[in-house]
Amino acid sequence: MIPNKLQTFNSLCCWVYIVGYGGGMLHSDKLKIECTLEADAVVAMTTQATTKVYKVPNRFISEGCSQISKFRVGNGALLALIPHAVTCFQDSIFRQVQDFDLEAGGSVVICDWLTCGRKERGEIWNFKRFESRNTIKIEGKLIFYDSLVLEDSIQGSVRDRMRGMNVVGMIVLIGPKVEKLVADLMLSRQAVRPGFEKMSSNERSKGFGKDVIASISPLRNFGGAIVRFAAVRTDDAFQLLRDTLKPLERDLGAFPFLNV
């Protein structure tokens, strides 16, 4: 399914929407997703809105809800996993596992990001636990592993450690279909080392906003990169995503996150 109202190029990309009852996940929900892309296929997988994770009621002892996804990407294929952010409500628990198995010549774009919660209700990083793990293999060889766990601890609350940021996330780009995009990003950001760095005034003028920090780290030998970002406002995070992923418009047939 291609969103015709957004389509700007003729494309064979298949748009897939992850849809859940009520637009969110309850404390006992266990969601499993499996997706296989044959050779030269192009798929954009997204959501209609944020994935809401509802609180665990006090009367339940629960390990929370989970979403386990497995993707297989064939030679010459491109998978763009570009969902809206996860939003964990107060006292919620969420675990996400995403495994990607690529054949040589396969490409992936992965957006994994979350917001602080219902900020307008004073819920700022008030969930009990958030966990997200991403692994990428090429021809069975592990080339990327990232695990994020957020929960209050003796080292301090999640809110304190975020230092005013209300959105955090990453974009992973790997494969021949995104090599030029990666090269352009590395050149334009001049990010040759990992770690958060504040955007320059020139980058802000491109629309990132003054309350965004980001970094780019190369995945050498695999034609890839990791963009990590944090923002005060969700709108600024969307702008960063739009600017970063705009070159995918021709492959996907539409501009990612154009209508938000």
Side-chain angles (χ1 to χ4, degrees):
M1 176 171 66
I2 297 178
N4 291 326
K5 66 178 180 179
L6 299 181
Q7 190 174 7
T8 53
F9 294 98
N10 291 325
S11 171
L12 297 178
C13 177
C14 177
W15 281 74
V16 179
Y17 288 81
I18 303 171
V19 180
Y21 295 108
M25 300 185 70
L26 301 176
H27 70 93
S28 60
D29 286 349
K30 311 293 181 185
L31 179 61
K32 291 186 178 181
I33 298 172
E34 292 190 6
C35 179
T36 299
L37 278 67
E38 301 293 345
D40 299 320
V42 180
V43 171
M45 184 172 290
T46 187
T47 56
Q48 292 178 306
T50 60
T51 297
K52 302 171 184 64
V53 182
Y54 298 109
K55 68 181 293 184
V56 176
N58 293 331
R59 65 183 181 278
F60 290 101
I61 299 176
S62 173
E63 60 182 16
C65 56
S66 64
Q67 180 170 304
I68 312 297
S69 304
K70 295 183 181 296
F71 302 94
R72 297 174 181 84
V73 183
N75 180 34
L78 168 63
L79 169 65
L81 184 61
I82 48 175
H84 291 247
V86 174
T87 297
C88 293
F89 289 12
Q90 182 173 333
D91 295 329
S92 62
I93 301 173
F94 180 66
R95 178 173 178 262
Q96 173 180 265
V97 176
Q98 301 184 142
D99 295 325
F100 302 83
D101 291 318
L102 279 61
E103 294 182 5
S107 303
V108 292
V109 176
I110 307 163
C111 294
D112 186 9
W113 59 308
L114 72 150
T115 70
C116 65
R118 295 181 293 182
K119 184 182 177 184
E120 66 282 358
R121 298 188 56 158
E123 296 181 10
I124 303 176
W125 306 114
N126 289 146
F127 48 79
K128 289 183 178 179
R129 181 181 173 90
F130 172 89
E131 179 180 354
S132 180
R133 190 197 76 190
N134 290 275
T135 63
I136 302 175
K137 295 179 180 179
I138 297 180
E139 295 292 341
K141 180 181 179 181
L142 182 66
I143 60 98
F144 178 81
Y145 181 95
D146 183 87
S147 181
L148 173 66
V149 177
L150 296 175
E151 63 181 340
D152 294 346
S153 67
I154 58 174
Q155 283 79 31
S157 67
V158 174
R159 180 172 183 172
D160 289 343
R161 283 178 280 162
M162 287 296 174
R163 299 185 179 182
M165 293 296 170
N166 298 310
V167 186
V168 295
M170 70 174 181
I171 308 167
V172 184
L173 306 109
I174 290 179
K177 292 281 190 180
V178 296
E179 279 185 341
K180 185 178 186 306
L181 170 57
V182 169
D184 290 344
L185 286 172
M186 296 298 297
L187 181 64
S188 64
R189 304 290 184 270
Q190 297 180 347
V192 296
R193 61 187 184 277
F196 278 114
E197 296 188 21
K198 290 187 176 180
M199 291 286 187
S200 68
S201 58
N202 181 51
E203 286 172 314
R204 290 174 187 170
S205 69
K206 295 178 184 178
F208 285 109
K210 65 179 181 179
D211 295 322
V212 178
I213 54 177
S215 71
I216 303 176
S217 304
L219 288 168
R220 303 190 188 280
N221 303 322
F222 299 105
I226 311 164
V227 180
R228 299 187 187 274
F229 62 90
V232 175
R233 300 170 60 247
T234 304
D235 286 348
D236 286 332
F238 270 125
Q239 188 62 54
L240 183 146
L241 290 167
R242 282 191 288 264
D243 288 352
T244 301
L245 301 178
K246 189 178 189 305
L248 295 175
E249 183 178 16
R250 185 173 295 275
D251 286 323
L252 303 184
F255 190 4
F257 303 115
L258 176 63
N259 61 332
V260 293

